Every structure is written in structure tokens, then in C-alpha cells.
Amino acid sequence: MVHFRGINLSLCCLCIFFLLTNATNTTSDRESLTEVTFVTGFPTQKTLIWGMHVVPPFAFYDSTKTGNAQFTGLVPELAALLEPVLNVKFTFVLGAPSTPENEEAVLSTLDIEKDANDLPPGVTKAHLAGGGIHVSANRSLAVRFSTPFFETGYRLVVAVPPISHDPLSFGAPFHDLLWLVVAIEILLISVAIYFMEAPAASFSQESDLADGQIAGMWDSLYMACTFMLGTADKAPKTWGGKMALLAHGWFMLIIIASYTANLASFLVMGALTPSVSGWADVTSSGGKLSLALPRGGTQESFLAWEEHHYGYKFNVTWTTTMAEAYDLVATGAADATFDDEAIAQYYLLKQVADPCALMAVGRTFHTVFYGLAFALDDMDFIPFSEAIVLLRETGAVSKLATKYQVGAGGEKAEADQVAQCAGGSNSGVLVVEDFWGLIGIIAGVLAFSFAIHVAERYGGGAKV
């Protein structure tokens, strides 16, 4: 019996030892997996030709320079980060010299079956292509894409509304019905004060209100208004009057605080409300809103897909470049255009002649991805994808986006630009035209006060 107990004890010890060892190994394996940063680069350094798709701020081209120095921007800097990871060197070439913005023209240089002599003049056969090239299902039938290095979406761009001045803009923070409620509240409080305080209508003979019914009513209205504005020189004597003014003061405290909190935004930003506020306005217009877009771009494919699947109708003026589309919108020849948000942000902040002529509106729609493109039978897209994942995980790509003010990195700059351009291309400074209504009201009250003064002075000394 002792013998079996010894065996059982030994087996228990072995089981415990096995479980502890296995747990330790599992923990070690998990830790090692979370620390993996190895990317399968090339065993010997390779020099690859990179066909650059030129689209600022992802890729700039300067013809006055030579070699790789001709190209700057987010993508060339991304390439510099990829070189040590993959053990490669890149030689940048212009993907499509005649149409550097055309993605399809750049992708056509990846066909390794095509003889170099068959390519257009000035076009160099490339091992990969990159810039602002969209990853799409149709293109994936002709080329292979790496893991996307950037994600964005289309953003609608419209002209900044012309400057308009409303002489009654000071009343914009409140709806007309709310202004009516405020006026009725003042009248009701003045009536309550009259019946509680006026000697002609109250049991109290001690009052700050003038004698007489008409004079007493005017005085009670004056007390309610001055109490609201904080300039009161009269005070109620009865507890009923005091409670009425206390309720009136609380009501006016909330009203005035709400008014002043919203007044600035209504006066400054009111002019920045365009008639087109998002993509839904375009699709619901049935073609009444006109678009300006470059022919042959991904926008054309997107519109064709929208027409086929949803039956939308679009009125489009086709241009050669995106810059021409922006110009048509700025001059009023078209109602809107749309571009990748990252590219639109940069153009509106850095490249447009008048930074207050155009503005981006609405949310992004139709998410798009940027990737590096390779020939269909080229398997180099695998190590490139691994390297891109590594750079995204380490935050290197996010830092580049912040540096070039695209995507999330460009939201603050875009908001600052809109604030500077509030009210149109001149500035967001308020002008006298915005206050003619208020000036007219004050002038009317002042004229009425002089009429009362004349009646008091030449009416035999009697107070009105």
C-alpha cells in the first residue's frame, strides 16, 4: 500500500512539473510573438525602379533637379524608411511624364511582358509604382498591391459663399418665437409690478413708481427693462414685487447667457454656410448640381458605379487635371468637385491661389486606400507588405501624415483656415452693415425719448 502511494505521489509531482514547464514555455512564446519585428528583406541588396505617381503632398516633382532629388513628399520619405528594412535601394522615375497625375498611366509601366521599346517616349519600365494610387478590385486583376500604407476617403469641395450682410443678424441666435416669448415675459412682469407696486393699484403707498396709471405703467415697464440690463435705479417695495423681479432676473440671466454664447458664432460663421453641405445633396439633386472632375480618374469609375447601382444622375464637366476642376468650382462654373480628403486638404491649404475661395464640406464618403503596385507575377509585394505593417505599427506612417498635414494631421489646419476665412475672402471681421438693424432700433428709441422730453418740457411741466 505504501508502494502505490509512493507511485501516485511521484506521478503527481511529474504532472505538476509538466504543467509548470508548459505554462512557462507558453508565456515565453507569447512574449516572443508580441516582440516580433523581423521583416523578410532581400538577402542581397537590390536596386528597384520606382515609378512615381505625382500627387501632392504624397509626391512632388521638381524638374530643375536630377535623380531622386527630383521627388519629395510623403511617399519618397516612406521609401527612405523602407530601404533599410528591406535592404533595397530605390531609383525614382516619373511614372507618366505627359500625365503624371494619371494613375492608370503609371500602372501601365509595371507590365514586365512589355518590351521597353514599346513604352511611350520618356516612360521607364518600373519594378513598382507608388504615390497616391488607389487600391481597387478591378485594378487587382491587373497588378498586385501591397498592404495599404494610407487610408482616406472622398471629400466634397465647394466655393466659399459670397459675403452677405444681414442688418438683423444680431438677432440670429434666437428664433423669432423665442424673441416673442422674451417680449411677452417683460410685459407680464411689468404688469405684475404695476399691480403690486403702483400707488393707484396697490395697498402700498410707498413706491418708486410714478403717480398716475399711464405714468405708473411706463415706470413698471422701465423697471423690468433696467433690471434685465443691470441698470436698475428703482426697486420694488413689496415682497410680491421683489419675488416677481427675482423670477424675472433668473429668466433673463439664462436668456442673456445663451444669447451671448451663440452671438459670435452666428455673426462670424453665418456666412460660411454653403448651399451644398455634403455628398447627399449632390445625389439627391438629380443632376441639378454640377460637378467638375478630371477625366480618367478614379472619380469617374466611382460615379459610374453609383449610377449603375443606385440610379443617381450626375451633371459632370470633365477636365484634364484636378487643378482645372478646382478652378471651375472657384469661378462658379461648377457647384462642386470631390477629391481624396488628404489631397483636398493639402490643395486648399497650400496650393490654391486664394485660400479663402474654396472649402471642404461634409463627411468623407467612399473610403479609399493607397498601396504600392507590382506586376501581377511579381511576388515582391509580400515583403513590402510586411515592411509597411511594421512602419504603421511603429507609428512612422502616422508621423509622416502629421508632418504633411493630411488625414487626421490636417484637421486642425483645415479648421484654422476656415476660421480665418469666415465671412468670405476678405476676413471674418465684423462690419457696420451687420449692425444696421441694431443701430436703427437704438436710433428709434432715442428719437422717442426726445419726443417724451419735449412733451414733458413744453406740456406745462406735467410728466407723461
Side-chain angles (χ1 to χ4, degrees), residues 435-446:
F435 292 91
W436 278 128
L438 181 61
I439 293 173
I441 292 174
I442 300 302
V445 173
L446 188 61

Side-chain angles (χ1 to χ4, degrees), residues 53 99 101-107 134 139 154 293-303 316-322:
H53 169 236
T99 55
E101 291 185 1
N102 192 301
E103 299 175 44
E104 298 296 338
V106 176
L107 292 175
H134 289 192
R139 287 177 175 175
Y154 287 143
L293 293 167
R295 175 73 75 176
T298 54
Q299 293 99 327
E300 184 175 3
S301 301
F302 169 71
L303 291 185
V316 185
T317 300
W318 297 105
T319 64
T320 304
T321 64
M322 196 66 217

